[in-house]
């Protein structure tokens, strides 16, 4: 098997990076939730993973004909890439969830721009490898048309309307003809007031308390190019993929409080990345007030967007 190099940058030398701002030779990493020991930074990915797994009831979308992929590749291998893997929780969990295929070697490669959160190799299942890859950089030849499935999720603080086409171009290049791209994204701005609305509609049944509205509007101002999330299927179509799944759903009642805890933990961590001391203090205040509103029973109804596309061929 042509393995991915552990903890090594898989980038082609000398090629211009598309869709990413840079200062000199140093690329800017837009990820703003901590990768260190700040509580949310290291643990939020695991919490999000199990909440999403519970909400969905699956790790790999059932419309992906995985059993057929395994059958078609008996005597060979089926390769899955998890782009933006973070700490590797998705490939680790998927490896333990898949049945044993005695005639097909299933391998899962977790790829991320940073190795800072990777689990130690000694704790990884035999099927899992974690490596460094910047999906906004040109795809190395070794990874072109390599994978049967490419999985992406939680890019809302990194992806923009401008660079999503670049991400899809590179992810598609990693797919074998007939391979599947599966993207899951939580739309934290769905069912929330837009900055152009000075106040929530008092007659609406969905009326966010002031701190939630303030947090959302602050995040919209900082990350304005986010129309790609609810329109993700359109971006896949423009990238030349055949869309076979395009849908969204809100959290079930039993998970709403857990999602509140997850979001507020992430926002509390995000506050530490705000440079201006006054803004940072105000954002922290909003997070504290939003938590109190959650304890009073208010919960956002953020949508989870799921899109599956297939590469023609």
């Amino acid at each position: 098997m042509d393995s991915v190099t552990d903890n090594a940058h898989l980038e082609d030398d000398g090629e211009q990076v598309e869709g990413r701002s840079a200062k000199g030779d140093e690329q800017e990493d837009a990820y703003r939730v901590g990768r260190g020991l700040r509580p949310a930074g290291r643990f939020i990915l695991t919490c999000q993973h199990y909440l999403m797994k519970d909400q969905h009831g699956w790790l790999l979308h059932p419309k992906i004909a995985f059993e057929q992929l395994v059958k078609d590749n008996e005597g060979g291998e089926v390769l899955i890439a998890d782009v933006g893997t973070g700490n590797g929780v998705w490939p680790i969990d998927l490896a333990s969830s898949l049945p044993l295929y005695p005639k097909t070697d299933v391998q899962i490669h977790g790829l991320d721009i940073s190795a800072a959160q990777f689990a130690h190799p000694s704790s990884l299942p035999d099927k899992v490898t974690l490596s460094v890859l910047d999906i906004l950089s040109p795809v190395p030849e070794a990874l072109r048309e390599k994978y049967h499935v490419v999985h992406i999720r939680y890019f809302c603080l990194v992806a923009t309307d401008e660079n999503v086409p670049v991400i899809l171009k590179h992810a598609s290049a990693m797919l074998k003809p007939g391979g599947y791209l599966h993207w899951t994204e939580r739309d934290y701005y769905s069912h929330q007031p837009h900055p152009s609305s000075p106040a929530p509609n008092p007659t609406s049944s969905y009326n966010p308390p002031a701190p939630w509205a303030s947090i959302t509007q602050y995040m919209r101002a900082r990350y304005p190019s986010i129309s790609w999330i609810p329109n993700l299927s359109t971006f896949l179509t423009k990238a030349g993929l055949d869309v076979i799944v395009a849908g969204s759903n809100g959290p079930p009642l039993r998970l709403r409080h857990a999602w509140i805890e997850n979001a507020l933990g992430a926002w509390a961590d995000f506050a530490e990345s705000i440079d201006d001391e006054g803004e940072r203090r105000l954002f922290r205040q909003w997070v504290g007030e939003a938590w109190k509103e959650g304890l009073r029973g208010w919960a956002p109804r953020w949508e989870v967007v799921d899109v599956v596309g297939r590469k023609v061929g």
Side-chain angles (χ1 to χ4, degrees):
M1 184 185 71
D2 182 14
S3 62
V4 180
T5 305
D6 291 348
N7 300 341
H9 283 282
L10 300 174
E11 300 175 9
D12 289 341
D13 293 334
E15 293 194 59
Q16 183 177 359
V17 176
E18 303 174 74
R20 178 183 291 280
S21 60
K23 295 179 180 179
D25 295 330
E26 183 177 343
Q27 297 177 19
E28 179 184 350
D29 183 357
Y31 191 69
R32 304 299 288 176
V33 178
R35 292 190 176 97
L37 284 175
R38 296 204 308 251
R42 184 159 290 275
F43 309 129
I44 189 173
L45 296 179
T46 300
C47 178
Q48 281 182 339
H49 170 80
Y50 287 105
L51 280 173
M52 193 68 77
K53 180 182 177 181
D54 193 345
Q55 181 165 331
H56 276 146
W58 40 260
L59 291 172
L60 202 59
H61 200 286
K63 288 294 184 180
I64 295 174
F66 191 75
E67 294 297 324
Q68 189 63 48
L69 283 174
V70 171
K71 183 178 179 180
D72 292 344
N73 290 277
E74 284 187 359
E77 59 186 9
V78 171
L79 299 179
I80 304 169
D82 181 37
V83 176
T85 196
N87 59 8
V89 64
W90 188 87
I92 291 170
D93 196 10
L94 181 63
S96 64
S97 302
L98 291 174
L100 178 64
Y101 298 107
K103 297 182 180 180
T104 308
D105 181 21
V106 177
Q107 294 290 323
I108 311 165
H109 298 163
L111 306 169
D112 200 280
I113 192 174
S114 170
Q117 296 187 86
F118 285 180
H120 191 272
S122 64
S123 67
L124 298 178
D126 291 340
K127 294 183 175 70
V128 175
T129 303
L130 303 181
S131 305
V132 173
L133 175 76
D134 181 0
I135 194 61
L136 286 171
S137 295
V139 178
E141 283 299 323
L143 299 189
R144 290 184 179 274
E145 297 194 351
K146 181 182 181 73
Y147 295 100
H148 298 87
V149 178
V150 172
H151 174 260
I152 304 175
R153 65 177 180 176
Y154 306 150
F155 267 57
C156 63
L157 295 185
V158 176
T160 66
D161 297 343
E162 292 75 30
N163 68 21
V164 164
V166 177
I167 295 171
L168 288 172
K169 173 186 174 184
H170 294 164
S172 180
M174 295 166 63
L175 282 174
K176 292 178 178 290
Y180 297 89
L181 187 143
H182 177 199
W183 193 326
T184 295
E185 201 67 47
R186 190 160 184 82
D187 189 357
Y188 286 102
Y189 305 140
S190 60
H191 299 295
Q192 293 280 15
H194 193 275
S196 61
S197 304
N201 183 351
T203 63
S204 172
S205 60
Y206 190 84
N207 190 8
W212 288 89
S214 297
I215 291 171
T216 301
Q217 292 183 8
Y218 181 91
M219 297 297 286
R220 279 187 179 273
R222 186 150 182 171
Y223 298 95
S225 299
I226 46 104
S227 68
W228 65 270
I229 299 177
N231 297 298
L232 192 50
S233 62
T234 301
F235 280 86
L236 262 71
T237 299
K238 290 180 178 178
L241 297 167
D242 181 15
V243 176
I244 60 176
V245 173
S248 64
N249 62 84
L253 183 61
R254 62 186 172 82
L255 293 181
R256 286 185 183 174
H257 188 74
W259 275 118
I260 288 174
E261 292 179 327
N262 182 262
L264 291 176
W267 280 334
D269 190 87
F270 173 85
E272 303 310 309
S273 72
I274 300 175
D275 294 329
D276 183 84
E277 183 178 351
E279 287 186 16
R280 184 167 62 249
R281 188 183 303 114
L282 182 59
F283 197 92
R284 288 172 179 164
Q285 178 183 327
W286 290 338
V287 171
E289 293 172 354
W291 170 242
K292 293 177 183 177
E293 294 293 346
L295 293 177
R296 296 186 185 104
W298 190 85
R301 297 197 295 269
W302 295 313
E303 296 287 311
V304 173
V305 176
D306 281 294
V307 179
V308 177
R310 195 168 190 186
K311 187 173 182 177
V312 178

